[in-house]
Amino acid sequence: MRAVSTLTTPLVGAICTCFVACGQDASEYGPTGKINFDNERPTLMQAVEAPRYTGDNEFVLEAQATHRTGLDLHRNVIVRTCGPTGGVCHNQKEYPDLHTPSNLLAAINAPCNVQPGDWSAVFDGCERPGDRITLGGSKEVEIGWVDYIIGDEDYNDDKRPELDSPGLHIELQSPINIGDGRTHTWGTASFKLNVIDGGEVEEVSYARYETEWFVLEGGKHLVGEVREWQVDRVASLIDSGVGQGDMNRNGVYGAREATPLAMLQGGDPERSYLIGRLRGELRGLSIPGTRMPLANTPLSISDMLALYCLVEGLPDKIDEVYDLTSPINYADCSWSADPEGLNLLGKGATWLGRIQPLLVANCQGCHGSESPEFGFDVITEGSYERLLEKSTQAPDMPLVTPGDPANSYLWVKMNQLDTMVGLGMPLDAEFKPRLLPEGALADIETWILNGAAAEE
Ligand code: HEC
């Protein structure tokens, strides 16, 4: 449902005409009497009608009845999951603030993880190209990440900084060469970014920092001395927001692998980070950070379907803004064919809803109904009741203690905690322990913390 934008342009025209025609005394606004009105803003798509879904899938029908428009979806689901308890929208800095419909609009085609509260929670898919740095006559090298470790230290060749020493640390994508195999120089580093201006790539040098530099790790790590008199300079450099190509410091430069994801990618829910946070994964890759929403009521299948169909119908261009009063097009939405396929999403974090299916998928090979390992089986009737009893292996601890993951042997084994006996779970085909994806573990933790409910 692509809509042609016709609404705003004539309106803006009308406003401009008014400035002239209404005979404002323009001279008081400036020497030329002209107001520079920059009309480069996104155009609002006109609310469009959508065909009604006429099939018989109950989830689609429910979604269509409850969340007719994007505005309904925001009111019914997003505000609820942000929650009166203060939930996700307040204290997760890397999560977008979605309190108002206009915030939701702002998430469309916007980059994700721009200012993460916690760099380790950044998803590779959100990483954008880093800024570049030159030092002395070196070639430009992409910046992976920067870190300022506080402390007034004077270094020299006999007392070189290390990876965790005070100073300005800059990890680089490829080795920097400051000439003649040197590993230490006094010099000015300049920070550059690329601005794409009307199709032209312009290079802008936005900051310089002159100090004593040391090259570590064969050229891939720079440490700049930060003496007391240089602290302000470095603080303002950091504040200027150096573009980092490997924000989560895992050696993967996300933007080099693929086009960075958007918060909500118009036309493609599966490239929308926000949806990844709700699912705990995107296209099979697990998303770091806790799966959303935490203890709040998880999205039902029809809630999730509404979000998918809304995103699929969003414009894929940055210069158009969607009108949230448009009906969501369920009839043409590709996800309406099999809403149940939006796996586990619709179910709450209960034994029957999410946890048993998760354990069946991952554990039943060895803990199925026939001769289950250690008598622990995840599939037969009564397996829920069994969970509340003592473990065989560590008889002091129940397999699950509602409200207390650390005292739940199931959790202990799945996280390989110190209190574990034997091997971590699950085991792979070669009987080596592995960890389940973070999203799955988060589901289990949420479930135990909230009382390990059997059913909704
Ligand atoms: C490839 C086989 C295999 C898979 C898959 C597997 N386990 Fe196990 N499990 C074992 C074996 C063998 C033992 C006993 C040896 C040990 O604990 O080191 C065991 C023991 C356990 C115990 C201890 C039971 C008790 O009462 O003390 C728990 C809990 C457990 N597994 C949980 C899981 C969970 C949860 C999964 C899936 C996420 C899983 N296992 C997947 C083979 C497996």
Side-chain angles (χ1 to χ4, degrees), residues 359 362-363 365-367 373-374 376 386 390-394 399 409-410 413-414 421-423 425-428 431 436:
L359 296 188
N362 291 286
C363 327
C366 308
H367 301 283
E373 294 285 353
F374 267 58
F376 170 55
R386 166 73 189 93
K390 302 284 178 207
S391 125
T392 315
Q393 199 170 55
L399 285 167
Y409 198 60
L410 177 86
K413 291 282 262 188
M414 295 181 81
V421 183
L423 302 168
M425 289 292 143
L427 300 177
D428 64 16
F431 272 67
L436 286 187

Side-chain angles (χ1 to χ4, degrees), residues 72-100:
D72 295 331
L73 179 67
H74 183 267
R75 188 172 43 235
N76 302 340
V77 174
I78 300 183
V79 173
R80 180 192 86 210
T81 46
C82 286
T85 49
V88 297
C89 301
H90 295 287
N91 47 27
Q92 293 277 330
K93 285 214 197 98
E94 75 272 24
Y95 198 73
D97 180 350
L98 296 171
H99 281 97
T100 67

Side-chain angles (χ1 to χ4, degrees), residues 26-289:
S27 59
E28 68 185 75
Y29 294 98
T32 63
K34 214 177 135 210
I35 297 169
N36 286 322
F37 183 76
D38 182 4
N39 188 21
E40 277 190 31
R41 51 176 68 197
T43 320
L44 188 70
M45 290 167 84
Q46 200 169 12
V48 279
E49 278 313 310
R52 279 190 77 74
Y53 171 83
T54 50
D56 56 7
N57 184 295
E58 51 170 320
F59 295 108
V60 186
L61 291 169
E62 189 191 331
Q64 183 164 260
T66 344
H67 316 298
R68 200 181 68 88
T69 66
L71 213 52
D72 295 331
L73 179 67
H74 183 267
R75 188 172 43 235
N76 302 340
V77 174
I78 300 183
V79 173
R80 180 192 86 210
T81 46
C82 286
T85 49
V88 297
C89 301
H90 295 287
N91 47 27
Q92 293 277 330
K93 285 214 197 98
E94 75 272 24
Y95 198 73
D97 180 350
L98 296 171
H99 281 97
T100 67
S102 63
N103 287 344
L104 178 65
L105 281 178
I108 300 172
N109 298 335
C112 44
N113 288 154
V114 180
Q115 285 179 309
D118 169 10
W119 54 262
S120 67
V122 171
F123 180 55
D124 287 328
C126 293
E127 288 174 344
R128 288 172 300 282
D131 293 343
R132 285 164 300 125
I133 190 173
T134 58
L135 173 56
S138 84
K139 281 206 315 216
E140 287 171 9
V141 181
E142 183 178 342
I143 297 173
W145 47 266
V146 290
D147 201 2
Y148 169 36
I149 302 181
I150 297 171
D152 183 20
E153 286 283 355
D154 190 2
Y155 301 113
N156 54 48
D157 265 333
D158 296 326
K159 188 188 163 205
R160 291 175 58 85
E162 292 171 19
L163 288 176
D164 55 356
S165 305
L168 177 64
H169 289 255
I170 306 178
E171 175 83 3
L172 302 168
Q173 196 269 331
S174 51
I176 195 162
N177 181 354
I178 58 167
D180 304 333
R182 279 190 295 168
T183 59
H184 166 198
T185 185
W186 174 272
T188 303
S190 50
F191 294 78
K192 299 184 170 190
L193 78 163
N194 287 332
V195 179
I196 300 182
D197 183 15
E200 297 280 303
V201 178
E202 268 182 36
E203 214 170 68
V204 179
S205 171
Y206 66 93
R208 292 168 191 281
Y209 180 52
E210 186 175 14
T211 196
E212 194 89 51
W213 292 97
F214 293 82
V215 177
L216 277 60
E217 307 271 284
K220 290 196 57 174
H221 194 97
L222 278 175
V223 183
E225 212 175 72
V226 187
R227 306 302 311 276
E228 219 178 309
W229 52 274
Q230 293 167 305
V231 167
D232 284 352
R233 184 88 196 87
V234 167
S236 67
L237 173 69
I238 302 269
D239 283 349
S240 73
V242 181
Q244 308 180 40
D246 179 21
M247 282 206 280
N248 58 17
R249 310 183 185 185
N250 67 354
V252 177
Y253 286 68
R256 287 174 180 262
E257 313 267 306
T259 317
L261 299 178
M263 206 51 112
L264 286 177
Q265 174 68 60
D268 194 350
E270 298 265 286
R271 288 194 47 80
S272 301
Y273 172 74
L274 184 69
I275 286 184
R277 280 306 286 273
L278 293 166
R279 294 181 71 160
E281 59 156 42
L282 265 190
R283 301 177 174 209
L285 292 172
S286 85
I287 303 273

